Amino acid sequence: MNAEINLAEKLGQKLPPQLVDFLQLAGRKAADRREKAYIVGGVVRDLLLGLDNYDIDLTVEGDAVALARYLMGSASDRITIHKQFNTAKIRWHDWNIDFVTARSETYASPGALPEITPSTLEADLKRRDFTINAMAIGLSGKSYGMLYDPCNGKRDLADKKIRILHDASFIDDSTRIWRGLRYEQRFGFELEPHTLQLLQRDIPMLDAISGERICYEIDCIFKEQYPEKVFKRADRLGVLNRFHPGVKFDMHTEERFSQARERCCPDSPSTLLYWLLLTYDLDIETKEAMISRLRLPKLIAQPLRDCSAVKDRLSLLAAPEIKPGEIYHLLFGYSLQAVLANIIATETEESRAALCLYMEKLHGVKAIITGSDLLEMGVTQGPLLKKMLDAILDARLNGKASSREDEIAIVRKMQAEGSK
Ligand code: ATP
């Protein structure tokens, strides 16, 4: 294995000192146990690229959970152990450090989760997705700072290439198709020609992947700085159509993504808002089919439906001289992210103005007087009470009531009219 490059100095320059102290301690404690610990994956890649990344993954030749326990001693409250996966997470100052036992994987069938057996660092690196993610840095004993790069990831980083490790990689796990496009677009790299050829060959394998795993990958793309780059590429390659038939990524959707960023600045748009914009042009039947195929959680599925319902109301919202109360009743109860998606996507200025008024002012409007106040004022439980509450709220929304006294006056008037 190529182990000639030492990155100890780079670790010291790029990572916060307390984190470096922790990594050195982890390396020493592993050596105490006659084990070896390594930093692996994205942090190594980003260190070589000169990018900040403190999401540390440690691979242990030995027993990762036992090492994490030994390392933290009595501070066991800072460890979370996932028994099912035999992994541990340590909270150290502001950072989370993941401990995983080095393992090799075999795939019983395409798209299934792999069978795992403990193994060496080299086998662990060779089960990974791309060469640029298959590097490690030693932490124990003399290997501190040593780069382990059995798949020539450093060369591919320099050449700006995304390369899989073997020809069946996308068949074993076709979520790597989405991952490959994400890294390619994030770093401005290219899928090397053979990898691209295999990716195109294996696109149909995406159908074997569970909805949950696809959604995870799509969410990861939404967290990128420019998700549209990934979807444009996926559309051109025919990958997006496998995500769900009928989903396209045209210039309108691209423009909507960039508007979402402008509107949400300085924050990033939520992944939910991107879901709504990606699927904005789909009709409700196609959305329902997608919701079942991907088994989308209710937190996404309901706003997707709301988004279509709000879209169906755009022409009503554009009516001349529409009153705030009417806008409120047309939109009340729908997810605000669905309203925001329509603000971004509608081409009608009048509809947008109504949606913005709702979003910025109306949706939070409440009357001061409550049902119990009305009961105290002698109104009896029943339809009249409900009618009064509606009338008070409408008066508030339409600017006809701005104080408790104004609301009481409305009630008194209605009581007087009722007793006539
Ligand atoms: P990011 O910067 O997107 O977080 P990362 O490299 O840290 O990138 P993770 O998704 O956190 O990515 O995964 C950690 C590492 O696990 C990756 O670097 C890669 O080596 C490996 N990995 C993750 N997913 C797969 C996969 N589907 N197949 C093979 N290896 C994978």
Side-chain angles (χ1 to χ4, degrees), residues 136-190:
I137 298 174
L139 292 177
S140 305
K142 284 195 193 130
S143 78
Y144 184 81
M146 287 290 189
L147 177 69
Y148 292 82
D149 182 15
C151 311
N152 279 323
K154 190 164 180 292
R155 183 200 60 198
D156 283 336
L157 274 184
D159 294 345
K160 300 179 181 280
K161 294 284 184 243
I162 306 291
R163 185 190 308 272
I164 43 173
L165 306 191
H166 59 90
D167 282 8
S169 182
F170 292 128
I171 298 177
D172 283 348
D173 177 357
S174 55
T175 64
R176 293 171 187 162
I177 292 179
W178 281 111
R179 294 177 65 82
L181 301 185
R182 179 157 63 85
Y183 291 121
E184 187 194 44
Q185 298 306 312
R186 182 198 297 173
F187 297 124
F189 285 13
E190 261 187 352

CSV table of all heavy atoms in Angstrom, one decimal, residues 136-190:
chain,number,residue,atom,x,y,z
A,136,ALA,N,-7.2,7.1,3.6
A,136,ALA,CA,-7.2,7.2,5.0
A,136,ALA,C,-5.9,7.8,5.5
A,136,ALA,O,-4.9,7.9,4.8
A,136,ALA,CB,-7.3,5.8,5.6
A,137,ILE,N,-5.9,8.3,6.7
A,137,ILE,CA,-4.7,8.9,7.4
A,137,ILE,C,-4.5,8.1,8.7
A,137,ILE,O,-5.4,8.1,9.5
A,137,ILE,CB,-4.8,10.4,7.6
A,137,ILE,CG1,-5.0,11.2,6.3
A,137,ILE,CG2,-3.6,10.9,8.4
A,137,ILE,CD1,-5.3,12.7,6.5
A,138,GLY,N,-3.3,7.6,8.9
A,138,GLY,CA,-3.0,6.8,10.1
A,138,GLY,C,-3.0,7.8,11.3
A,138,GLY,O,-2.6,8.9,11.2
A,139,LEU,N,-3.4,7.2,12.5
A,139,LEU,CA,-3.3,8.0,13.7
A,139,LEU,C,-2.5,7.3,14.8
A,139,LEU,O,-2.1,7.9,15.8
A,139,LEU,CB,-4.7,8.2,14.3
A,139,LEU,CG,-5.7,9.1,13.5
A,139,LEU,CD1,-7.1,9.1,14.1
A,139,LEU,CD2,-5.1,10.5,13.4
A,140,SER,N,-2.2,6.0,14.6
A,140,SER,CA,-1.5,5.3,15.7
A,140,SER,C,0.0,5.1,15.5
A,140,SER,O,0.4,4.8,14.3
A,140,SER,CB,-2.2,3.9,15.8
A,140,SER,OG,-3.6,4.1,16.0
A,141,GLY,N,0.7,5.3,16.5
A,141,GLY,CA,2.2,5.1,16.5
A,141,GLY,C,2.9,5.8,15.4
A,141,GLY,O,2.6,6.9,15.1
A,142,LYS,N,3.8,5.0,14.7
A,142,LYS,CA,4.6,5.7,13.7
A,142,LYS,C,3.8,6.0,12.4
A,142,LYS,O,4.3,6.8,11.6
A,142,LYS,CB,5.7,4.7,13.3
A,142,LYS,CG,6.8,4.5,14.3
A,142,LYS,CD,8.0,3.8,13.6
A,142,LYS,CE,9.0,3.4,14.7
A,142,LYS,NZ,9.4,2.0,14.6
A,143,SER,N,2.6,5.5,12.3
A,143,SER,CA,1.9,5.8,11.1
A,143,SER,C,1.1,7.1,11.2
A,143,SER,O,0.4,7.5,10.3
A,143,SER,CB,0.9,4.6,10.8
A,143,SER,OG,-0.3,4.7,11.7
A,144,TYR,N,1.3,7.9,12.3
A,144,TYR,CA,0.6,9.1,12.5
A,144,TYR,C,0.8,10.0,11.3
A,144,TYR,O,2.0,10.4,11.0
A,144,TYR,CB,1.0,9.8,13.8
A,144,TYR,CG,0.1,11.1,14.0
A,144,TYR,CD1,-1.2,11.0,14.5
A,144,TYR,CD2,0.6,12.3,13.6
A,144,TYR,CE1,-2.0,12.1,14.7
A,144,TYR,CE2,-0.2,13.4,13.8
A,144,TYR,CZ,-1.5,13.3,14.3
A,144,TYR,OH,-2.3,14.4,14.4
A,145,GLY,N,-0.3,10.4,10.7
A,145,GLY,CA,-0.2,11.3,9.5
A,145,GLY,C,0.0,10.7,8.2
A,145,GLY,O,-0.1,11.3,7.1
A,146,MET,N,0.3,9.4,8.2
A,146,MET,CA,0.6,8.7,6.9
A,146,MET,C,-0.7,8.6,6.0
A,146,MET,O,-1.8,8.2,6.5
A,146,MET,CB,1.0,7.2,7.2
A,146,MET,CG,2.4,7.1,7.7
A,146,MET,SD,3.6,7.5,6.4
A,146,MET,CE,5.1,7.0,7.3
A,147,LEU,N,-0.5,8.8,4.7
A,147,LEU,CA,-1.6,8.7,3.8
A,147,LEU,C,-1.7,7.3,3.3
A,147,LEU,O,-0.7,6.7,2.8
A,147,LEU,CB,-1.5,9.7,2.7
A,147,LEU,CG,-2.6,9.6,1.6
A,147,LEU,CD1,-3.9,10.1,2.1
A,147,LEU,CD2,-2.2,10.4,0.3
A,148,TYR,N,-2.9,6.7,3.4
A,148,TYR,CA,-3.1,5.3,2.8
A,148,TYR,C,-4.0,5.5,1.6
A,148,TYR,O,-5.2,6.0,1.8
A,148,TYR,CB,-3.8,4.4,3.8
A,148,TYR,CG,-2.8,4.1,5.0
A,148,TYR,CD1,-2.6,4.9,6.0
A,148,TYR,CD2,-2.1,2.9,4.9
A,148,TYR,CE1,-1.7,4.7,7.0
A,148,TYR,CE2,-1.2,2.6,5.9
A,148,TYR,CZ,-1.0,3.5,7.0
A,148,TYR,OH,-0.1,3.2,8.0
A,149,ASP,N,-3.5,5.1,0.5
A,149,ASP,CA,-4.3,5.5,-0.8
A,149,ASP,C,-4.2,4.3,-1.8
A,149,ASP,O,-3.6,4.5,-2.8
A,149,ASP,CB,-3.6,6.8,-1.3
A,149,ASP,CG,-4.3,7.3,-2.6
A,149,ASP,OD1,-5.4,6.8,-2.9
A,149,ASP,OD2,-3.7,8.1,-3.3
A,150,PRO,N,-4.8,3.2,-1.4
A,150,PRO,CA,-4.6,2.0,-2.3
A,150,PRO,C,-5.3,2.1,-3.6
A,150,PRO,O,-5.0,1.3,-4.5
A,150,PRO,CB,-5.3,0.9,-1.5
A,150,PRO,CG,-6.3,1.6,-0.6
A,150,PRO,CD,-5.7,2.9,-0.3
A,151,CYS,N,-6.2,3.1,-3.8
A,151,CYS,CA,-6.9,3.2,-5.1
A,151,CYS,C,-6.5,4.4,-5.9
A,151,CYS,O,-7.2,4.8,-6.8
A,151,CYS,CB,-8.4,3.2,-4.8
A,151,CYS,SG,-9.0,1.9,-3.7
A,152,ASN,N,-5.4,5.0,-5.5
A,152,ASN,CA,-4.9,6.2,-6.2
A,152,ASN,C,-5.9,7.4,-6.2
A,152,ASN,O,-6.1,8.1,-7.3
A,152,ASN,CB,-4.6,5.9,-7.7
A,152,ASN,CG,-3.2,5.2,-7.8
A,152,ASN,OD1,-2.3,5.6,-7.0
A,152,ASN,ND2,-3.1,4.2,-8.6
A,153,GLY,N,-6.5,7.6,-5.1
A,153,GLY,CA,-7.5,8.7,-5.0
A,153,GLY,C,-6.8,10.1,-5.1
A,153,GLY,O,-7.4,11.0,-5.7
A,154,LYS,N,-5.6,10.2,-4.6
A,154,LYS,CA,-4.9,11.5,-4.7
A,154,LYS,C,-4.6,11.9,-6.1
A,154,LYS,O,-4.8,13.0,-6.5
A,154,LYS,CB,-3.5,11.4,-3.9
A,154,LYS,CG,-2.9,12.7,-3.7
A,154,LYS,CD,-1.8,12.6,-2.6
A,154,LYS,CE,-1.1,13.9,-2.4
A,154,LYS,NZ,-0.3,14.3,-3.5
A,155,ARG,N,-4.3,10.9,-7.0
A,155,ARG,CA,-4.1,11.2,-8.4
A,155,ARG,C,-5.4,11.6,-9.0
A,155,ARG,O,-5.4,12.6,-9.8
A,155,ARG,CB,-3.6,9.9,-9.1
A,155,ARG,CG,-3.3,10.1,-10.6
A,155,ARG,CD,-3.3,8.7,-11.3
A,155,ARG,NE,-4.6,8.1,-11.2
A,155,ARG,CZ,-4.8,6.8,-11.4
A,155,ARG,NH1,-3.8,6.0,-11.8
A,155,ARG,NH2,-6.0,6.3,-11.3
A,156,ASP,N,-6.5,11.0,-8.7
A,156,ASP,CA,-7.8,11.4,-9.3
A,156,ASP,C,-8.2,12.8,-8.8
A,156,ASP,O,-8.8,13.5,-9.5
A,156,ASP,CB,-8.9,10.3,-9.0
A,156,ASP,CG,-8.7,9.1,-9.9
A,156,ASP,OD1,-8.1,9.3,-11.0
A,156,ASP,OD2,-9.2,8.0,-9.5
A,157,LEU,N,-7.8,13.1,-7.5
A,157,LEU,CA,-8.1,14.4,-7.0
A,157,LEU,C,-7.4,15.5,-7.9
A,157,LEU,O,-8.0,16.5,-8.3
A,157,LEU,CB,-7.7,14.6,-5.6
A,157,LEU,CG,-8.6,14.2,-4.4
A,157,LEU,CD1,-8.0,14.6,-3.1
A,157,LEU,CD2,-10.0,14.9,-4.6
A,158,ALA,N,-6.1,15.2,-8.2
A,158,ALA,CA,-5.3,16.1,-8.9
A,158,ALA,C,-5.9,16.2,-10.4
A,158,ALA,O,-5.9,17.3,-11.0
A,158,ALA,CB,-3.9,15.7,-9.0
A,159,ASP,N,-6.4,15.1,-10.9
A,159,ASP,CA,-6.9,15.1,-12.3
A,159,ASP,C,-8.4,15.5,-12.4
A,159,ASP,O,-8.9,15.5,-13.4
A,159,ASP,CB,-6.7,13.7,-12.9
A,159,ASP,CG,-5.3,13.3,-13.1
A,159,ASP,OD1,-4.4,14.2,-13.0
A,159,ASP,OD2,-5.0,12.1,-13.3
A,160,LYS,N,-9.0,15.7,-11.2
A,160,LYS,CA,-10.4,16.1,-11.1
A,160,LYS,C,-11.3,15.0,-11.7
A,160,LYS,O,-12.2,15.3,-12.5
A,160,LYS,CB,-10.6,17.5,-11.8
A,160,LYS,CG,-9.8,18.6,-11.2
A,160,LYS,CD,-10.1,19.9,-11.9
A,160,LYS,CE,-9.3,21.1,-11.4
A,160,LYS,NZ,-9.8,21.7,-10.2
A,161,LYS,N,-11.0,13.8,-11.3
A,161,LYS,CA,-11.8,12.7,-11.9
A,161,LYS,C,-12.6,12.0,-10.8
A,161,LYS,O,-12.1,11.8,-9.7
A,161,LYS,CB,-10.9,11.6,-12.5
A,161,LYS,CG,-10.2,12.2,-13.7
A,161,LYS,CD,-11.1,12.2,-14.9
A,161,LYS,CE,-10.3,12.6,-16.2
A,161,LYS,NZ,-10.8,13.9,-16.8
A,162,ILE,N,-13.8,11.6,-11.1
A,162,ILE,CA,-14.6,10.7,-10.2
A,162,ILE,C,-14.5,9.3,-10.8
A,162,ILE,O,-14.9,9.1,-12.0
A,162,ILE,CB,-16.1,11.1,-10.2
A,162,ILE,CG1,-16.2,12.6,-9.8
A,162,ILE,CG2,-16.9,10.2,-9.2
A,162,ILE,CD1,-15.9,12.9,-8.4
A,163,ARG,N,-14.0,8.4,-10.0
A,163,ARG,CA,-13.8,7.0,-10.6
A,163,ARG,C,-14.3,6.0,-9.6
A,163,ARG,O,-14.0,6.1,-8.4
A,163,ARG,CB,-12.3,6.8,-10.8
A,163,ARG,CG,-11.8,5.5,-11.5
A,163,ARG,CD,-10.3,5.3,-11.4
A,163,ARG,NE,-9.6,6.5,-11.9
A,163,ARG,CZ,-9.3,6.7,-13.2
A,163,ARG,NH1,-9.5,5.8,-14.1
A,163,ARG,NH2,-8.6,7.8,-13.5
A,164,ILE,N,-15.0,5.0,-10.1
A,164,ILE,CA,-15.4,3.9,-9.2
A,164,ILE,C,-14.3,2.9,-9.0
A,164,ILE,O,-13.3,2.9,-9.8
A,164,ILE,CB,-16.7,3.2,-9.7
A,164,ILE,CG1,-16.6,2.9,-11.2
A,164,ILE,CG2,-18.0,3.9,-9.2
A,164,ILE,CD1,-17.8,2.1,-11.7
A,165,LEU,N,-14.5,2.0,-8.0
A,165,LEU,CA,-13.3,1.1,-7.7
A,165,LEU,C,-13.4,-0.2,-8.5
A,165,LEU,O,-12.4,-0.9,-8.5
A,165,LEU,CB,-13.3,0.8,-6.2
A,165,LEU,CG,-13.3,2.1,-5.3
A,165,LEU,CD1,-12.9,1.7,-3.9
A,165,LEU,CD2,-12.2,3.1,-5.8
A,166,HIS,N,-14.5,-0.6,-8.9
A,166,HIS,CA,-14.6,-1.9,-9.7
A,166,HIS,C,-15.9,-1.8,-10.6
A,166,HIS,O,-16.8,-1.0,-10.3
A,166,HIS,CB,-14.6,-3.1,-8.8
A,166,HIS,CG,-15.8,-3.1,-7.9
A,166,HIS,ND1,-17.0,-3.7,-8.2
A,166,HIS,CD2,-15.9,-2.6,-6.6
A,166,HIS,CE1,-17.8,-3.5,-7.1
A,166,HIS,NE2,-17.2,-2.9,-6.2
A,167,ASP,N,-15.9,-2.7,-11.6
A,167,ASP,CA,-16.9,-2.5,-12.7
A,167,ASP,C,-18.4,-2.8,-12.2
A,167,ASP,O,-19.3,-2.4,-12.8
A,167,ASP,CB,-16.6,-3.4,-13.9
A,167,ASP,CG,-15.6,-2.8,-14.7
A,167,ASP,OD1,-15.0,-1.8,-14.3
A,167,ASP,OD2,-15.3,-3.4,-15.8
A,168,ALA,N,-18.5,-3.5,-11.0
A,168,ALA,CA,-19.9,-3.9,-10.6
A,168,ALA,C,-20.3,-2.9,-9.5
A,168,ALA,O,-21.4,-3.1,-8.8
A,168,ALA,CB,-19.9,-5.3,-10.0
A,169,SER,N,-19.6,-1.8,-9.3
A,169,SER,CA,-19.9,-0.9,-8.2
A,169,SER,C,-21.3,-0.3,-8.2
A,169,SER,O,-22.0,-0.3,-7.2
A,169,SER,CB,-18.9,0.3,-8.2
A,169,SER,OG,-19.1,1.1,-7.1
A,170,PHE,N,-21.7,0.1,-9.4
A,170,PHE,CA,-23.1,0.7,-9.5
A,170,PHE,C,-24.2,-0.3,-9.4
A,170,PHE,O,-25.3,-0.1,-9.1
A,170,PHE,CB,-23.2,1.5,-10.8
A,170,PHE,CG,-22.4,2.8,-10.8
A,170,PHE,CD1,-21.6,3.1,-11.9
A,170,PHE,CD2,-22.5,3.7,-9.8
A,170,PHE,CE1,-20.8,4.2,-11.9
A,170,PHE,CE2,-21.7,4.9,-9.8
A,170,PHE,CZ,-20.9,5.1,-10.9
A,171,ILE,N,-23.8,-1.6,-9.7
A,171,ILE,CA,-24.8,-2.7,-9.6
A,171,ILE,C,-24.9,-3.0,-8.2
A,171,ILE,O,-26.1,-3.2,-7.7
A,171,ILE,CB,-24.3,-3.9,-10.4
A,171,ILE,CG1,-24.2,-3.6,-11.9
A,171,ILE,CG2,-25.2,-5.1,-10.2
A,171,ILE,CD1,-23.6,-4.7,-12.8
A,172,ASP,N,-23.8,-3.1,-7.4
A,172,ASP,CA,-23.9,-3.4,-6.0
A,172,ASP,C,-24.8,-2.4,-5.3
A,172,ASP,O,-25.6,-2.8,-4.4
A,172,ASP,CB,-22.5,-3.4,-5.4
A,172,ASP,CG,-21.7,-4.6,-5.7
A,172,ASP,OD1,-22.3,-5.6,-6.2
A,172,ASP,OD2,-20.4,-4.6,-5.5
A,173,ASP,N,-24.5,-1.1,-5.6
A,173,ASP,CA,-25.2,-0.1,-4.9
A,173,ASP,C,-25.4,1.1,-5.8
A,173,ASP,O,-24.5,1.9,-6.0
A,173,ASP,CB,-24.4,0.3,-3.6
A,173,ASP,CG,-25.0,1.5,-2.9
A,173,ASP,OD1,-26.1,2.0,-3.3
A,173,ASP,OD2,-24.5,1.8,-1.8
A,174,SER,N,-26.5,1.2,-6.4
A,174,SER,CA,-26.7,2.3,-7.4
A,174,SER,C,-27.0,3.6,-6.8
A,174,SER,O,-27.1,4.6,-7.5
A,174,SER,CB,-27.7,1.9,-8.5
A,174,SER,OG,-28.9,1.5,-7.9
A,175,THR,N,-27.1,3.7,-5.5
A,175,THR,CA,-27.2,5.1,-4.9
A,175,THR,C,-25.9,5.8,-5.2
A,175,THR,O,-25.8,7.0,-5.2
A,175,THR,CB,-27.3,5.1,-3.4
A,175,THR,OG1,-26.2,4.5,-2.8
A,175,THR,CG2,-28.6,4.4,-2.9
A,176,ARG,N,-24.8,5.0,-5.6
A,176,ARG,CA,-23.6,5.7,-6.0
A,176,ARG,C,-23.7,6.5,-7.2
A,176,ARG,O,-22.9,7.4,-7.5
A,176,ARG,CB,-22.5,4.6,-6.1
A,176,ARG,CG,-22.1,3.9,-4.8
A,176,ARG,CD,-21.2,2.7,-5.0
A,176,ARG,NE,-21.1,2.0,-3.7
A,176,ARG,CZ,-20.6,0.7,-3.6
A,176,ARG,NH1,-20.3,0.0,-4.7
A,176,ARG,NH2,-20.5,0.2,-2.4
A,177,ILE,N,-24.7,6.2,-8.0
A,177,ILE,CA,-24.9,7.0,-9.2
A,177,ILE,C,-25.2,8.4,-8.8
A,177,ILE,O,-24.6,9.4,-9.3
A,177,ILE,CB,-26.1,6.4,-10.1
A,177,ILE,CG1,-25.7,5.1,-10.7
A,177,ILE,CG2,-26.6,7.4,-11.1
A,177,ILE,CD1,-26.8,4.4,-11.5
A,178,TRP,N,-26.2,8.6,-7.9
A,178,TRP,CA,-26.5,9.9,-7.4
A,178,TRP,C,-25.3,10.6,-6.7
A,178,TRP,O,-25.0,11.8,-6.8
A,178,TRP,CB,-27.7,9.9,-6.4
A,178,TRP,CG,-29.0,9.8,-7.1
A,178,TRP,CD1,-29.9,8.7,-7.1
A,178,TRP,CD2,-29.6,10.8,-7.9
A,178,TRP,NE1,-31.0,9.0,-7.9
A,178,TRP,CE2,-30.9,10.3,-8.4
A,178,TRP,CE3,-29.3,12.1,-8.3
A,178,TRP,CZ2,-31.8,11.0,-9.1
A,178,TRP,CZ3,-30.2,12.9,-9.1
A,178,TRP,CH2,-31.4,12.3,-9.5
A,179,ARG,N,-24.6,9.7,-5.9
A,179,ARG,CA,-23.4,10.3,-5.1
A,179,ARG,C,-22.4,10.8,-6.1
A,179,ARG,O,-21.8,11.8,-5.9
A,179,ARG,CB,-22.8,9.2,-4.2
A,179,ARG,CG,-23.7,8.8,-3.1
A,179,ARG,CD,-23.1,7.7,-2.2
A,179,ARG,NE,-21.9,8.1,-1.6
A,179,ARG,CZ,-21.9,8.8,-0.4
A,179,ARG,NH1,-23.0,9.1,0.2
A,179,ARG,NH2,-20.8,9.1,0.1
A,180,GLY,N,-22.1,10.0,-7.2
A,180,GLY,CA,-21.1,10.4,-8.2
A,180,GLY,C,-21.4,11.7,-8.8
A,180,GLY,O,-20.6,12.6,-8.9
A,181,LEU,N,-22.7,11.9,-9.2
A,181,LEU,CA,-23.1,13.2,-9.8
A,181,LEU,C,-22.9,14.3,-8.8
A,181,LEU,O,-22.6,15.4,-9.1
A,181,LEU,CB,-24.6,13.1,-10.3
A,181,LEU,CG,-24.9,12.0,-11.3
A,181,LEU,CD1,-26.3,12.1,-11.8
A,181,LEU,CD2,-24.0,12.1,-12.5
A,182,ARG,N,-23.2,14.0,-7.5
A,182,ARG,CA,-23.1,15.1,-6.5
A,182,ARG,C,-21.7,15.5,-6.3
A,182,ARG,O,-21.4,16.7,-6.3
A,182,ARG,CB,-23.7,14.5,-5.2
A,182,ARG,CG,-23.6,15.5,-4.0
A,182,ARG,CD,-24.7,15.1,-3.0
A,182,ARG,NE,-24.5,13.8,-2.4
A,182,ARG,CZ,-23.7,13.6,-1.3
A,182,ARG,NH1,-23.0,14.6,-0.8
A,182,ARG,NH2,-23.6,12.4,-0.8
A,183,TYR,N,-20.8,14.6,-6.2
A,183,TYR,CA,-19.4,15.0,-6.0
A,183,TYR,C,-18.8,15.7,-7.3
A,183,TYR,O,-18.1,16.6,-7.2
A,183,TYR,CB,-18.5,13.8,-5.7
A,183,TYR,CG,-18.8,13.2,-4.4
A,183,TYR,CD1,-19.2,11.9,-4.2
A,183,TYR,CD2,-18.6,13.9,-3.2
A,183,TYR,CE1,-19.5,11.3,-2.9
A,183,TYR,CE2,-18.9,13.4,-1.9
A,183,TYR,CZ,-19.3,12.1,-1.8
A,183,TYR,OH,-19.6,11.6,-0.6
A,184,GLU,N,-19.2,15.1,-8.5
A,184,GLU,CA,-18.8,15.7,-9.7
A,184,GLU,C,-19.1,17.2,-9.8
A,184,GLU,O,-18.3,18.1,-10.1
A,184,GLU,CB,-19.4,15.0,-10.9
A,184,GLU,CG,-18.9,15.3,-12.2
A,184,GLU,CD,-19.8,14.8,-13.4
A,184,GLU,OE1,-21.1,15.0,-13.3
A,184,GLU,OE2,-19.3,14.4,-14.4
A,185,GLN,N,-20.4,17.5,-9.5
A,185,GLN,CA,-20.8,18.9,-9.6
A,185,GLN,C,-20.3,19.8,-8.4
A,185,GLN,O,-20.1,20.9,-8.6
A,185,GLN,CB,-22.4,18.9,-9.7
A,185,GLN,CG,-22.9,18.2,-10.9
A,185,GLN,CD,-22.3,18.7,-12.2
A,185,GLN,OE1,-22.2,19.9,-12.4
A,185,GLN,NE2,-21.9,17.8,-13.0
A,186,ARG,N,-20.2,19.2,-7.2
A,186,ARG,CA,-19.7,20.0,-6.1
A,186,ARG,C,-18.3,20.4,-6.3
A,186,ARG,O,-18.0,21.6,-6.1
A,186,ARG,CB,-19.8,19.1,-4.8
A,186,ARG,CG,-19.3,20.0,-3.6
A,186,ARG,CD,-18.9,19.2,-2.4
A,186,ARG,NE,-19.9,18.4,-1.8
A,186,ARG,CZ,-19.8,17.5,-0.9
A,186,ARG,NH1,-18.5,17.3,-0.3
A,186,ARG,NH2,-20.8,16.8,-0.4
A,187,PHE,N,-17.5,19.5,-6.8
A,187,PHE,CA,-16.0,19.9,-7.0
A,187,PHE,C,-15.7,20.4,-8.4
A,187,PHE,O,-14.5,20.8,-8.6
A,187,PHE,CB,-15.2,18.7,-6.6
A,187,PHE,CG,-15.3,18.2,-5.2
A,187,PHE,CD1,-15.7,16.9,-4.9
A,187,PHE,CD2,-15.1,19.1,-4.1
A,187,PHE,CE1,-15.8,16.5,-3.6
A,187,PHE,CE2,-15.3,18.7,-2.8
A,187,PHE,CZ,-15.6,17.4,-2.5
A,188,GLY,N,-16.7,20.4,-9.3
A,188,GLY,CA,-16.3,20.7,-10.7
A,188,GLY,C,-15.4,19.7,-11.3
A,188,GLY,O,-14.5,20.0,-12.1
A,189,PHE,N,-15.6,18.4,-10.9
A,189,PHE,CA,-14.8,17.3,-11.5
A,189,PHE,C,-15.6,16.7,-12.6
A,189,PHE,O,-16.7,17.2,-13.0
A,189,PHE,CB,-14.6,16.2,-10.4
A,189,PHE,CG,-13.5,16.6,-9.4
A,189,PHE,CD1,-13.1,17.9,-9.2
A,189,PHE,CD2,-13.0,15.6,-8.5
A,189,PHE,CE1,-12.1,18.2,-8.3
A,189,PHE,CE2,-12.1,15.9,-7.5
A,189,PHE,CZ,-11.6,17.2,-7.4
A,190,GLU,N,-15.0,15.6,-13.2
A,190,GLU,CA,-15.8,14.8,-14.2
A,190,GLU,C,-15.7,13.4,-13.9
A,190,GLU,O,-14.7,12.9,-13.4
A,190,GLU,CB,-15.0,15.0,-15.6
A,190,GLU,CG,-15.6,16.1,-16.4
A,190,GLU,CD,-14.9,16.1,-17.8
A,190,GLU,OE1,-13.9,15.4,-18.0
A,190,GLU,OE2,-15.4,16.9,-18.6
